[in-house]
Amino acid sequence: MLFFFETLIKIALLIAGLMTAAAYLVLVERWMAAWIQDRVGPNRVGVPLTKIRLFGLGQPAADGGKFFFKEEFTPGHVDRALYFLGPMIMLTAALAVFAVIPFGSVLPTRFGVEGLSEPIRLVVAPGMAAGLVYVFAVNGLAVYGALLSGWASNNKYSLLGGLRSAAQLVSYELPLGLGILGVVLVAGSLDLETIISHQAQSGAWNFMLQPLGFVIFFVAGFAESGRLPFDLAESEQELVGGYHTEYSGVKLLMIMVSEYLHMFTASFLIVILFFGGWHFWGLTGSSDVVTWPVALLRVVVLLGKVLLTILFFMVARWSWPRFRFDQLMGLAWKVMLPLGLLNLVVLAVWMEYGRAVAEATGLSYLAATAAVGWGTLAVAWLAVVWFAPSASDNRPQRSPVVQEVCR
Amino acid sequence: MMPIFLFLLCAAALCVGLLVVANLLGPRRPGPVKRMPYESGMDPVHEARRRFNIRFYLLAIAFLVFDVELLFLYPWAVANGAAHASQADPAAVSAPQGLDAAVAEGLVESRGLIFAGVMVFFILLTLGLVYDWRKGIFRWR
C-alpha cells in the first residue's frame, strides 16, 4: 500500500514537472527564435492585472489558459471516435514513456516513514528489466496517434500529413533501434538505471566508445521527435498543419504537448544512453550508496545535461531548412540503416575478439574500444561522402516513364 | 508492473480531464460553414479518402520485416553483453552470466557457434536490405 502511494506521488510530481517544463521551454524556444531571427520575442505578459512584465514569464500561463477557453469544436465531417482517440493516444503514450526513465539516481532517506523502500529510487517503475523495449514500444504508439488523427479528420491535408508522419516515424525507428542495440550490447542490460551505472563505473561515456552509434541515434531521435529539419509531416507551406489541421482548442494542445514531450524523451534517452546519465567525473561518484548532496547533485547533473540537449534541439530547429521527402527517406534507408548495421557488426566482432587484441597490443581495453569506434566513424563518414550522389544537382530525378511522357 | 499501469491510468485520466474541463469552460457557436473541411477557403471538391501512393504500403511492409528482425537481436545483445561484462571482472561474479550460462547448461555448444549464427543473421538482414533497395522501394520520385 505504501509503495502504491509512493508511486502515486512520483507520478504526480513527474507529470506536473513535465507539463510545467513543456510550457516554459516553449517560452525559452520563442526567446531563442527571437534571438536567432534578430527580433524581440515575447516579453510583455507578466503578472495579470498589473503592469509588471517580468520578461514575459506570464506568457506560458496565458497561452495554456487560452486553450481551455476556446470552443471545444468537432467538425461535422470527421469520424468522431477516432478523432478523439488520436490526440488521447498521443498524449498518453508520450507521457507513459517516462515511467521507466530515471530523472536522478536515488534519495538516501525514507522521510521517516516506515515501510517505504530505501533508498527511494528516482524513477516511477524501478528495476524494469525490459525498460528500453518498453520505451521503444510506447514511443512507437505515436505512429497510431498521427495515423488516426490524420485519417479521422477526413481532410486532404490531414490525410497526407498523417501518411507522411507515419512513414517518417516508421523509417527512423529502425536506425533508432540499431543505435540502442549497440548500447545494450556493451551494457548487457535493457534497464536504463543499469546502463547509467555501467557508464559511471567504467568512467567512459558511451559516445566516446561508439561515436557512430551515437550519431545514428542522435539523428534518428531528432527525426522521431519531428522537429524542424524533419518536420515534413506538418510543413506549413505545403500541408497547412499536417495531421492536426482539423484540430483546435484543447485537442490541439494535447497534440502540441505530446510533440514537445517527444523531444524531451529523445533528450533524456540521448543523455542516459550516450552521455552517462547522472554521472560526471569527480563530482557524482559511482556507488549506489549516496549522501544528500551527492543525490541532489546527480539530479542537477542529469537535468542539466538534458537541458543542454534540448537547447541544442532548439538551435537546430531555428537554423536548418527542411528536408525534401525523398531525401528524408533516402537518409533513413540508404544511409542510416546500413551504417547502423555496420556499427553493430563491428561492435559484435570487437566484443568477441577485442580482449585478445587489446592484450596482444598492450593497449588498455577501453582505449582500444574507443579507437575502434572512432575508426569506424571515420570509415563510415568517408564511405558516405564517396558514395553519396553529387550535391551540385540534387533535384529529384524523374522516372524514365515520366520523362518519356513529358518529352 | 503496477507502477506502469498506474502511470498509464493517470496519463489517460489527464487526457479525459483536459477534454472535460475544456468542454465545460469553452463557448459553443456552431455554424454550417464551420463544420466544413478546411481547404484554404475553397469548397471541398471530393472526399478526402481516396487512393494514395502505394509506396507508403511497401515502406510499411519493409519496416515490419526489419523491425521484427531487430527484435530478435535484443535477447542476443542482452545475453552477450552480460557474459562479456562478467568476463571483464571474473572475481565479482560467482556463476556464469548470459551466454556463458547457456553454454554451461548445455543449451548451446559454444559461444563461437552463437557468434557465427548472429553473423549469418546479419548477412541475411543485409541481403534483405539490398533486395529492397534494388527493387526500388526506397526510391521516391
Side-chain angles (χ1 to χ4, degrees):
Chain A
M1 206 55 202
L2 267 173
F3 182 58
F4 178 79
F5 284 116
E6 186 194 330
T7 312
L8 213 57
I9 291 171
K10 277 188 207 163
I11 291 173
L13 285 178
L14 188 58
I15 290 185
L18 284 174
M19 288 299 180
T20 319
Y24 273 89
L25 282 171
V26 169
L27 181 65
V28 171
E29 175 153 20
R30 289 174 66 181
W31 281 340
M32 185 169 268
W35 168 63
I36 288 175
Q37 297 173 343
D38 197 15
R39 53 190 171 82
V40 181
N43 68 347
R44 298 274 156 162
V45 186
V47 185
L49 304 179
T50 62
K51 296 207 167 175
I52 307 167
R53 279 187 187 165
L54 276 180
F55 320 104
L57 280 175
Q59 188 79 40
D63 285 349
K66 199 180 79 174
F67 273 109
F68 287 97
F69 292 101
K70 289 283 176 192
E71 181 176 357
E72 178 56 23
F73 178 71
T74 312
H77 54 279
V78 300
D79 188 330
R80 287 186 69 97
L82 299 183
Y83 182 77
F84 279 93
L85 206 57
M88 285 174 72
I89 286 185
M90 279 188 89
L91 186 56
T92 309
L95 280 172
V97 173
F98 285 89
V100 295
I101 292 182
F103 43 101
S105 171
V106 289
L107 291 184
T109 174
R110 55 168 77 135
F111 298 105
V113 185
E114 283 304 315
L116 272 188
S117 55
E118 188 183 350
I120 296 176
R121 292 160 83 178
L122 289 175
V123 52
V124 173
M128 175 88 171
L132 265 176
V133 174
Y134 170 82
V135 168
F136 216 49
V138 177
N139 215 12
L141 286 180
V143 183
Y144 287 97
L147 261 184
L148 278 185
S149 28
W151 180 258
S153 296
N154 200 358
N155 176 317
K156 286 156 206 154
Y157 295 124
S158 300
L159 181 63
L160 286 175
L163 283 174
R164 274 196 191 182
S165 175
Q168 174 183 335
L169 291 179
V170 143
S171 300
Y172 280 88
E173 217 158 278
L174 297 173
L176 199 74
L178 285 171
I180 287 178
L181 264 174
V183 175
V184 173
L185 196 56
V186 171
S189 169
L190 289 164
D191 181 14
L192 289 162
E193 291 172 284
T194 319
I195 289 174
I196 296 180
S197 60
H198 181 266
Q199 295 177 71
Q201 267 149 23
S202 75
W205 298 352
N206 277 330
F207 84 96
M208 304 169 190
L209 300 182
Q210 26 181 319
L212 180 59
F214 166 65
V215 169
I216 287 166
F217 185 83
F218 195 77
V219 175
F222 243 96
E224 285 283 303
S225 62
R227 289 167 63 79
L228 196 67
F230 297 101
D231 74 335
L232 278 285
E234 50 193 88
S235 45
E236 296 92 346
Q237 291 85 352
E238 310 162 20
L239 292 180
V240 188
Y243 55 87
H244 52 69
T245 304
E246 290 285 347
Y247 282 90
S248 60
V250 83
K251 291 196 286 295
L252 182 67
L253 173 77
M254 283 157 77
I255 293 179
M256 295 294 196
V257 168
S258 54
E259 281 179 354
Y260 232 74
L261 287 180
H262 284 150
M263 180 177 77
F264 289 3
T265 317
S267 310
F268 265 100
L269 284 181
I270 286 166
V271 167
I272 287 170
L273 295 178
F274 288 98
F275 284 95
W278 43 256
H279 175 254
F280 200 88
W281 306 285
L283 267 183
T284 56
S286 61
S287 80
D288 283 341
V289 186
V290 292
T291 55
W292 265 106
V294 174
L296 293 181
L297 200 60
R298 284 180 180 181
V299 176
V300 170
V301 166
L302 177 66
L303 295 185
K305 284 180 189 171
V306 170
L307 189 65
L308 280 180
T309 319
I310 290 176
L311 290 180
F312 183 81
F313 266 81
M314 290 175 181
V315 175
R317 171 173 177 186
W318 292 102
S319 16
W320 282 82
R322 185 178 296 133
F323 281 110
R324 214 173 46 215
F325 202 72
D326 60 320
Q327 294 171 333
L328 181 85
M329 288 295 136
L331 180 66
W333 290 91
K334 297 180 183 170
V335 181
M336 307 257 289
L337 195 54
L339 289 189
L341 281 174
L342 172 77
N343 180 49
L344 209 56
V345 169
V346 168
L347 212 61
V349 173
W350 174 254
M351 288 189 70
E352 201 66 15
Y353 302 111
R355 229 162 256 290
V357 174
E359 271 167 26
T361 51
L363 278 168
S364 90
Y365 180 64
L366 274 183
T369 313
V372 169
W374 287 93
T376 319
L377 179 66
V379 169
W381 194 294
L382 290 176
V384 170
V385 171
W386 184 261
F387 287 115
S390 149
S392 61
D393 179 12
N394 68 352
R395 287 173 297 177
Q397 303 295 312
R398 284 181 160 171
S399 73
V401 181
V402 177
Q403 276 174 359
E404 197 62 34
V405 173
C406 296
R407 197 163 51 150
Chain B
M1 288 312 276
M2 186 276 278
I4 285 182
F5 284 116
L6 198 61
F7 201 123
L8 279 172
L9 209 66
C10 287
L14 179 75
C15 292
V16 176
L18 283 174
L19 284 175
V20 168
V21 170
N23 257 312
L24 293 179
L25 291 181
R28 222 162 261 289
R29 296 188 201 95
V33 182
K34 215 174 185 179
R35 290 167 58 86
M36 277 167 42
Y38 176 77
E39 230 162 80
S40 309
M42 315 276 280
D43 285 353
V45 190
H46 52 70
E47 269 282 291
R49 288 165 189 167
R50 311 183 85 201
R51 294 202 280 177
F52 54 81
N53 202 322
I54 186 74
R55 287 201 185 97
F56 289 108
Y57 173 75
L58 291 177
L59 202 74
I61 296 284
F63 161 73
L64 219 56
V65 172
F66 281 105
D67 208 38
V68 171
E69 282 178 352
L70 279 190
L71 268 185
F72 281 127
L73 287 173
Y74 275 92
W76 163 74
V78 173
N80 195 20
H84 193 76
S86 68
Q87 217 174 38
D89 190 8
V93 239
S94 48
Q97 298 285 314
L99 284 185
D100 288 341
V103 174
E105 280 174 30
L107 293 174
V108 276
E109 239 166 74
S110 68
R111 276 182 61 181
L113 193 65
I114 298 176
F115 178 70
V118 168
M119 284 300 132
V120 170
F121 191 78
F122 273 124
I123 291 171
L124 287 178
L125 252 173
T126 315
L127 282 182
L129 184 66
V130 170
Y131 178 77
D132 285 353
W133 197 328
R134 295 293 300 167
K135 276 284 175 187
I137 290 182
F138 312 137
R139 205 164 48 205
W140 292 72
R141 283 178 174 165

